[in-house]
């Protein structure tokens, strides 16, 4: 396939681009004008400012868009997700569809489910409570409405937690790695009893590519492991893999009020589609 990618130099994007190339696809990255990011060998680039997109007719002839770009992911509470970014991405994706790209795979978030506990299926109602997932959920609804006007296939992926090289430095495992590398004796965290759904970022990226290859699919998919793990166990296992002796200072920080204590994705549909 000839695949366009936004966010291709970001955390997930770098792994997704590598997987696309490995599986024989032709990749073009849409990058901000003047970006210093260096794409991998064999990857073309096309300047494109999502805030003020140019004529997108050069996108015609591509088979799909993998849309991973989204700013301010270090602050889910930022009102800009709703006041600015949502509108920009609605306009951009509509232009892409009108340019003739027949398939979109868009990265959503597990936080679209809000404060629901337990295993979450794609049929669960959405109830986001923060601006970032509210914007994502609204973008999905917009694209589904656009499908009634312009025929195209939409794969909406709800991404659960992931970890790996290049992740946000404020994320849990990244902070733990810095503490270990600095020789810290203690690592302060919450009580760690939350149940979450974690996957290596490379696994998430490969699943996104496999979903993109399903030309017949249209709908919502949880991209997750399907297996809950406590945050404490996740941290302890990572410390063991690192061979470190850092001690956990449990209960130092409160549990986030915007996350349920126990939730994970149902991976049944994902496994069926990517088998």
């Amino acid at each position: 396939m000839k695949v366009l990618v936004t966010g291709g130099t970001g955390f997930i994007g770098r792994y997704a681009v590598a997987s696309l190339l490995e599986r024989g696809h032709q990749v073009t990255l849409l990058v901000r004008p003047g970006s210093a990011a260096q794409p991998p060998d064999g990857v073309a680039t096309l300047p494109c400012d999502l805030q003020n997109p140019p004529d997108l007719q050069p996108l015609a002839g591509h088979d799909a868009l993998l849309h991973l770009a989204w700013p301010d992911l270090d602050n889910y509470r930022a009102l800009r997700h709703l006041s600015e970014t949502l509108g920009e991405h609605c306009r951009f994706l509509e232009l892409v569809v009108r340019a003739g790209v027949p398939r979109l795979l868009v990265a959503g978030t597990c936080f679209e489910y809000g404060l629901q506990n337990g295993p979450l299926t794609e049929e669960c109602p959405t109830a986001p409570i923060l601006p970032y997932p509210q914007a994502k959920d609204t973008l999905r609804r917009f694209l589904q409405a656009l499908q009634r006007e312009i025929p195209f296939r939409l794969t909406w992926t709800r991404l659960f937690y992931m970890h790996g090289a290049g992740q946000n430095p404020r994320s849990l495992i990244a902070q733990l790695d810095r503490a270990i590398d600095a020789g810290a004796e203690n690592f302060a965290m919450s009580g760690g009893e939350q149940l979450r759904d974690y996957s290596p970022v490379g696994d998430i990226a490969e699943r996104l590519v496999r979903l993109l290859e399903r030309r017949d699919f249209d709908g919502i998919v949880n991209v997750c492991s399907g297996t809950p793990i406590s945050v404490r166990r996740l941290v302890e296992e990572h410390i063991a893999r690192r061979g470190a002796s850092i001690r956990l200072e449990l209960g130092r920080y409160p549990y986030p009020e915007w996350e349920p204590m126990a939730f994970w994705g149902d991976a049944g549909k994902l496994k069926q589609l990517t088998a």
Side-chain angles (χ1 to χ4, degrees):
M1 287 191 299
K2 295 178 66 177
V3 181
L4 298 160
V5 181
T6 67
T9 60
F11 176 42
I12 307 172
R14 285 177 292 164
Y15 292 88
V17 168
S19 182
L20 284 165
L21 294 174
E22 182 179 336
R23 297 176 67 82
H25 300 295
Q26 182 178 333
V27 179
T28 298
L29 299 188
L30 299 179
V31 298
R32 290 188 301 273
S35 172
Q38 295 296 319
D41 292 340
V43 174
T45 61
L46 184 64
C48 181
D49 183 356
L50 268 63
Q51 295 180 347
N52 187 25
D55 176 17
L56 296 182
Q57 196 56 41
L59 305 188
H62 290 84
D63 300 300
L65 169 69
L66 176 56
H67 186 54
L68 303 174
W70 196 276
D72 300 312
L73 292 180
D74 59 345
N75 184 5
Y76 290 174
R77 298 176 182 271
L79 289 177
R80 183 186 172 203
H81 293 296
L82 286 165
S83 64
E84 298 179 31
T85 304
L86 171 60
E88 293 165 1
H89 285 240
C90 286
R91 289 189 293 273
F92 168 72
L93 293 175
E94 181 176 357
L95 287 172
V96 169
V97 170
R98 292 190 183 280
V101 178
R103 300 183 61 243
L104 306 183
L105 188 151
V106 182
T109 170
C110 61
F111 294 123
E112 294 169 47
Y113 292 117
L115 295 177
Q116 300 177 75
N117 278 281
L120 302 174
T121 71
E122 292 84 355
E123 287 70 37
C124 290
T126 54
I129 62 171
L130 295 178
Y132 166 60
Q134 288 171 347
K136 284 287 190 177
D137 193 46
T138 305
L139 177 61
R140 172 186 60 83
R141 295 173 187 274
F142 168 78
L143 292 172
Q144 289 173 330
L146 184 61
Q147 285 183 298
R148 295 193 285 271
E149 180 179 334
I150 308 172
F152 68 95
R153 290 197 178 274
L154 170 65
T155 301
W156 185 268
T157 59
R158 293 200 176 120
L159 307 185
F160 282 70
Y161 293 79
M162 63 201 82
H163 56 84
Q167 64 191 309
N168 187 323
R170 295 177 59 183
S171 63
L172 177 65
I173 299 299
Q175 292 183 63
L176 176 58
D177 277 331
R178 285 200 304 276
I180 293 172
D181 293 340
E185 294 183 357
N186 301 312
F187 181 72
M189 57 179 287
S190 69
E193 298 306 314
Q194 317 97 302
L195 293 181
R196 297 287 182 265
D197 190 318
Y198 277 91
S199 300
V201 63
D203 291 354
I204 295 292
E206 182 181 354
R207 289 164 186 159
L208 291 176
V209 172
R210 288 181 178 272
L211 287 169
L212 194 66
E213 292 171 340
R214 289 296 304 255
R215 297 171 182 263
D216 58 334
F217 179 73
D218 187 289
I220 301 168
V221 189
N222 289 332
V223 181
C224 57
S225 72
T227 303
I229 184 173
S230 73
V231 171
R232 178 176 179 174
R233 180 181 169 192
L234 177 80
V235 168
E236 290 173 340
E237 289 182 352
H238 189 74
I239 292 171
R241 283 193 298 270
R242 289 288 311 266
S245 58
I246 193 168
R247 294 188 298 271
L248 297 182
E249 191 177 339
L250 297 168
R252 174 75 175 275
Y253 301 121
Y255 292 117
E257 62 183 19
W258 47 273
E259 292 182 326
M261 275 298 293
F263 74 103
W264 57 95
D266 182 307
K269 182 186 289 188
L270 177 68
K271 291 177 180 177
Q272 179 182 9
L273 290 169
T274 60

